[in-house]
Amino acid sequence: MTQERIFEQSLGLILDISIWSGSKTLKAEDFQGYELPPEELVSLGSKRLHSKDSFKPIQAVRTKAVSVLEATGISLYGGRVWIIPDHAKSDVEASLQALAAEFQQEKDGFLRDFYTTQEEWLQKNNKWASILRPYLDTPETVSKRFGFSWRIFRMGTAEQGDDLAETITTDLTNNLLREVSTLAEDAYQSLKGRDRATPKNLNRLEKLTDKLRGLSFVTPASLVIETELSGILDERDSHGALEGQGLFKLVRLLVQLKSPMVLNEVLEAAERGQAYQFQYPAYVPPVDTAAPHPQLQPQTNPAPAPAGAFVPAPVSAPPKPASLPTGWF
């Protein structure tokens, strides 16, 4: 059963990263002497106590942590829970431990420079400093607003009559296929108009094949897609690039993978244990428009040039880049 396979081969992970917002609620009393609309009409929002730039290094660590999980697992319920393969637990934890240390290092640097950064912000916004100073925090208080932690747990099958297991299975499958569709659309857009797919263009697709292979326990459709995509990527040349028929097949596969209808057909066939045949029209090579153009016709019986006169070289039309057939896309 799919549900039992998922629970046996996966782990749940909750990533909890908190960062001080660097702001406080903007209040009506901050604008004494000014008439403001009533609260039921407008919301005043917040006032920033620290420059946004000072948060960028520590926010970058959070982005890296999410990228680690994206490369391996599937997020559920708005990213509150991640499902990762059981076999990836050691690698994921090692990456998160390294990032937790980096997070602490950036936090220490932020707190070390806290007063300097704060004063620079006040001077930059000297006109409004009076509504900021009453709300300034201290490094000791702010320190408690930062945190980097995670919890890993093993899921168990729901009790008899409880549909939780089925819900999780459906959500995992849908999220995985939605991610395939989104990435296929992005890759398709990046290849439109190109006559050669470089390793940089193909990097995300290479990572997708690894992820699909690791998440094969979620749905058999995962391996169907991974096998087809890997077969095409194996046609790369010695420089890791794709062109010609290999590029054509990749583009046509992406056209299909970005379609939710096709992905649903792949899923249904895989669940029935049937093979799915992706469709590839006949390959149409790109038109070679870069071939030399005939020279402009000279005048009939031109008069001979005087001895020693400069004679310009015949003019040729500029070469054009190869154009990919519109039927590819």
Side-chain angles (χ1 to χ4, degrees), residues 299-328:
Q299 297 178 356
T300 305
N301 299 322
F310 170 72
V311 180
V315 178
S316 300
K320 298 180 180 179
S323 60
L324 299 180
T326 56
W328 283 31

Side-chain angles (χ1 to χ4, degrees), residues 6 8-13 65 67-74 82-97 150-154 207 210-218:
I6 288 178
E8 289 173 0
Q9 301 183 33
S10 69
L11 296 168
L13 186 148
S67 296
V68 166
L69 299 181
E70 285 179 337
T72 306
I74 311 171
W82 290 84
I83 305 301
I84 63 172
D86 194 351
H87 64 78
K89 178 177 182 291
S90 297
D91 290 340
V92 169
E93 283 208 290
S95 297
L96 292 180
Q97 287 169 357
W150 66 92
R151 288 165 284 169
I152 294 180
F153 58 92
R154 184 172 295 281
K207 291 181 178 179
D210 294 338
K211 180 171 180 174
L212 289 172
R213 196 177 303 118
L215 293 171
S216 59
F217 59 85
V218 173

Side-chain angles (χ1 to χ4, degrees), residues 6-323:
I6 288 178
F7 291 132
E8 289 173 0
Q9 301 183 33
S10 69
L11 296 168
L13 186 148
I14 297 176
L15 179 66
D16 185 11
I17 300 177
S18 55
I19 298 177
W20 178 53
S21 67
S23 61
K24 288 287 182 70
T25 302
L26 193 60
K27 300 179 179 180
E29 51 264 36
D30 293 331
F31 298 96
Q32 294 181 8
Y34 294 89
E35 182 179 358
L36 300 175
E39 291 184 2
E40 59 266 24
L41 181 62
V42 298
S43 174
L44 292 178
S46 61
K47 49 183 173 284
R48 176 153 291 282
L49 306 179
H50 248 65
S51 167
K52 286 185 178 181
D53 290 344
S54 62
F55 291 89
K56 287 182 178 179
I58 203 164
Q59 288 170 338
V61 180
R62 177 168 57 186
T63 300
K64 292 178 186 177
V66 173
S67 296
V68 166
L69 299 181
E70 285 179 337
T72 306
I74 311 171
S75 67
L76 288 178
Y77 317 122
R80 291 190 292 271
V81 179
W82 290 84
I83 305 301
I84 63 172
D86 194 351
H87 64 78
K89 178 177 182 291
S90 297
D91 290 340
V92 169
E93 283 208 290
S95 297
L96 292 180
Q97 287 169 357
L99 289 172
E102 184 179 347
F103 185 91
Q104 183 63 47
Q105 182 179 356
E106 295 295 348
K107 172 187 172 182
D108 292 342
F110 179 89
L111 296 176
R112 183 178 59 249
D113 300 334
F114 186 85
Y115 285 125
T116 300
T117 306
Q118 189 178 77
E119 190 58 34
E120 289 175 351
W121 183 248
L122 291 173
Q123 291 179 7
K124 182 178 180 180
N125 299 278
N126 184 56
K127 180 180 178 180
W128 304 101
S130 60
I131 68 172
L132 299 179
R133 289 191 181 278
Y135 302 96
L136 297 180
D137 280 308
T138 64
E140 292 74 22
T141 302
V142 167
S143 176
K144 301 174 184 178
R145 310 282 183 87
F146 292 89
F148 189 115
S149 63
W150 66 92
R151 288 165 284 169
I152 294 180
F153 58 92
R154 184 172 295 281
M155 298 181 293
T157 55
E159 296 179 2
Q160 188 69 23
D162 194 343
D163 61 354
L164 177 59
E166 183 177 353
T167 300
I168 291 177
T169 300
T170 301
D171 289 345
L172 280 174
T173 301
N174 290 342
N175 284 12
L176 178 58
L177 295 183
R178 190 178 300 113
E179 189 172 324
V180 170
S181 177
T182 300
L183 198 148
E185 171 67 28
D186 292 344
Y188 170 81
Q189 293 296 336
S190 72
L191 293 176
K192 287 188 68 173
R194 294 181 179 272
D195 57 2
R196 186 172 186 266
T198 65
K200 182 178 180 180
N201 300 136
L202 302 174
N203 182 50
R204 289 179 299 173
L205 295 177
E206 180 71 30
K207 291 181 178 179
L208 177 62
T209 60
D210 294 338
K211 180 171 180 174
L212 289 172
R213 196 177 303 118
L215 293 171
S216 59
F217 59 85
V218 173
T219 170
S222 178
L223 276 183
V224 173
I225 298 170
E226 184 273 328
T227 300
E228 192 74 13
L229 184 56
S230 293
I232 295 176
L233 293 178
D234 285 344
E235 298 182 25
R236 287 173 289 185
D237 60 24
S238 58
H239 300 289
L242 262 182
E243 50 190 343
Q245 187 166 5
L247 177 58
F248 164 74
K249 289 180 65 177
L250 177 61
V251 170
R252 295 309 305 170
L253 178 61
L254 293 175
V255 168
Q256 296 170 81
L257 293 182
K258 69 190 186 77
S259 167
M261 182 178 67
V262 172
L263 290 177
N264 189 59
E265 292 175 354
V266 174
L267 176 62
E268 291 177 351
E271 290 180 342
R272 293 194 300 266
Q274 299 175 348
Y276 184 85
Q277 297 297 324
F278 290 95
Q279 302 300 313
Y280 299 100
Y283 170 59
V284 179
V287 178
D288 186 6
T289 57
H293 289 260
Q295 297 178 356
L296 299 179
Q297 295 297 321
Q299 297 178 356
T300 305
N301 299 322
F310 170 72
V311 180
V315 178
S316 300
K320 298 180 180 179
S323 60

